[in-house]
Amino acid sequence: MPIFTVSVKWGKEKLQGVPVDTESPPWVFKSQLSELTGVSPHRQRVLIRGVALKDDEWGKFQIKDGSTLLLMGSVEELPNAPAERPMFVEDFSEAHLANVMDLPTGLVNLGNTCYLNATVQCLRKVPELREALKRYKGSVQTTAIANQAESITAALRDLFDSLERDAQAVPPITLLQLLHLACPQFAQEEDGGEYMLQDARECWQELMNRLTKLPSWEDHKEDKPQDKSFVEEFFGLELCSLYPLSNLKANMGSILVFKITFNSSFHQLCNISFKSSYTVSTCC
């Protein structure tokens, strides 16, 4: 009969009625003892009449019903709890997570204002603009209509400063109010009272129009003439247009004469459609 019922003496304890299946390898019986006593199999020494039980074979370890086995071995000590509680991503606050992962501070969506948030975050990636705004001395006037450019520039400066200092998302309330005051089309509301979706490109253009009062990057250099604003200096383009004067071609042989005009712009867009037969890139 391969299954026997034995007693196991372990220190001051005695386990009664422990089944032993000799058709299974001995490590199965040791695992059973580990569940009963907490002693790991590799720390166990099981004896019967001086014969030790091996892990892989029963050998001379002869048992029968009612046999008493001796178990030697102690329970392993549990590991000490860590001095500091481990932190998981779920445990971090929004501010702590942003600091640990070095994430940029976000902007609160005030109701379909993602167009403004995207534009502000795009402008914030220009380090020269951040430095120029820090030097700007204008103030915010949320009720004045006359100095909208100064107020919007100052509001953008203050918003950049909040994004540098705060770890949690910042609501761009003041800048949004000033933008609504200067450009009422951005204040249009839906039937439910929520702001309507707007175009980020239009928002970019309106902000560029009102940042023209920002002093040039080179204002602190006395030997450099200040004939451009910061926006014209960093976001401006000097467009050179060439118009062929076909009526002069006949009078001048094979020479094609062009009329050249210059135009400074920082917000006009180049829209190429199916009507555009060719484009000319040139530096003037």
Side-chain angles (χ1 to χ4, degrees), residues 56-154:
D56 53 354
E57 63 177 1
W58 293 95
K60 297 180 180 181
F61 197 86
Q62 301 294 327
I63 60 175
K64 60 182 180 179
D65 280 330
S67 297
T68 300
L69 310 182
L70 177 63
L71 171 62
M72 301 177 63
S74 59
V75 179
E76 292 179 289
E77 294 184 3
L78 295 176
N80 296 327
E84 295 184 4
R85 178 177 174 272
M87 297 290 291
F88 301 93
V89 175
E90 295 79 6
D91 301 325
F92 288 144
S93 64
E94 183 178 342
H96 193 182
L97 187 62
N99 182 51
V100 170
M101 301 184 67
D102 195 24
L103 298 176
T105 304
L107 292 166
V108 177
N109 193 325
L110 301 176
N112 288 334
T113 58
C114 49
Y115 68 94
L116 174 62
N117 294 355
T119 303
V120 170
Q121 293 287 23
C122 184
L123 288 172
R124 187 170 172 244
K125 297 299 291 184
V126 182
E128 293 83 0
L129 177 59
R130 296 198 302 268
E131 292 300 321
L133 285 172
K134 288 180 181 179
R135 298 198 303 265
Y136 185 66
K137 303 301 182 182
S139 59
V140 175
Q141 300 178 25
T142 57
T143 58
I145 300 179
N147 297 325
Q148 292 177 352
E150 176 182 337
S151 296
I152 287 179
T153 303

Side-chain angles (χ1 to χ4, degrees), residues 155-183:
L156 187 62
R157 173 202 61 201
D158 297 342
L159 182 58
F160 279 10
D161 183 61
S162 297
L163 291 172
E164 291 290 338
R165 290 184 288 100
D166 299 341
Q168 294 184 341
V170 178
I173 298 176
T174 303
L175 182 61
L176 182 63
Q177 291 176 342
L178 292 170
L179 185 63
H180 288 175
L181 186 64
C183 309

Side-chain angles (χ1 to χ4, degrees), residues 35 65 109 136 149 157-159 186 205 216 249 261 274:
E35 293 179 1
D65 280 330
N109 193 325
Y136 185 66
R157 173 202 61 201
D158 297 342
L159 182 58
F186 291 115
Q205 292 180 355
S216 170
K249 182 177 180 181
T261 61
F274 67 94

